[in-house]
Amino acid sequence: MKQCPKCHQSVDDLSSFCNNCGYDFRSSSNGFGQTPPPYEERYPADNAFDACGPEGKSRGVAALLAILLGGLGAQYFYLGRVSAGIISIIITICTCGLWEIVTLIQGIMMFCMTNAQFRQKYVTTTSSFPVF
């Protein structure tokens, strides 16, 4: 018996496909030419405080910073977006602190998304001011 790398179910050694998820064992290679596991398997989505990708940014830390210090742009400074952090401070001053409600919602949304979604939306994006 072998184990499916995708769904971790036991599969017969002679089987070419996983009966549970349909994984094709013929497409995977062994040895030095082995393909790396998918992004979701390398960086699991269920732990918010794990490093999210090779940048080492955690969505849990960014979410807590957005909830607690969002008006000061702390989440943007943590993510390396200094201009977005400065813009967030200016917006907080201009709106007399109402911007912190938006950053509170942003922090809650960060907790609700997966690591892959967080990395795409906030870490590797080309946008200089990612809000939602």
Side-chain angles (χ1 to χ4, degrees), residues 35-85:
T35 56
Y39 177 82
E40 290 78 17
E41 290 181 19
R42 288 182 283 157
Y43 304 105
D46 50 5
N47 191 350
F49 291 97
D50 278 346
C52 179
E55 298 85 4
K57 302 302 180 188
S58 166
R59 73 179 164 100
V61 172
L64 284 177
L65 288 172
I67 290 170
L68 299 175
L69 300 171
L72 300 175
Q75 73 276 20
Y76 294 118
F77 289 116
Y78 172 72
L79 295 172
R81 308 226 177 255
V82 177
S83 61

Side-chain angles (χ1 to χ4, degrees), residues 51-110:
C52 179
E55 298 85 4
K57 302 302 180 188
S58 166
R59 73 179 164 100
V61 172
L64 284 177
L65 288 172
I67 290 170
L68 299 175
L69 300 171
L72 300 175
Q75 73 276 20
Y76 294 118
F77 289 116
Y78 172 72
L79 295 172
R81 308 226 177 255
V82 177
S83 61
I86 293 170
I87 291 171
S88 184
I89 292 171
I90 293 170
I91 292 174
T92 301
I93 292 170
C94 291
T95 61
C96 298
L98 291 177
W99 177 251
E100 292 184 16
I101 296 170
V102 174
T103 60
L104 172 73
I105 295 168
Q106 180 185 29
I108 294 169
M109 289 179 65
M110 284 181 186

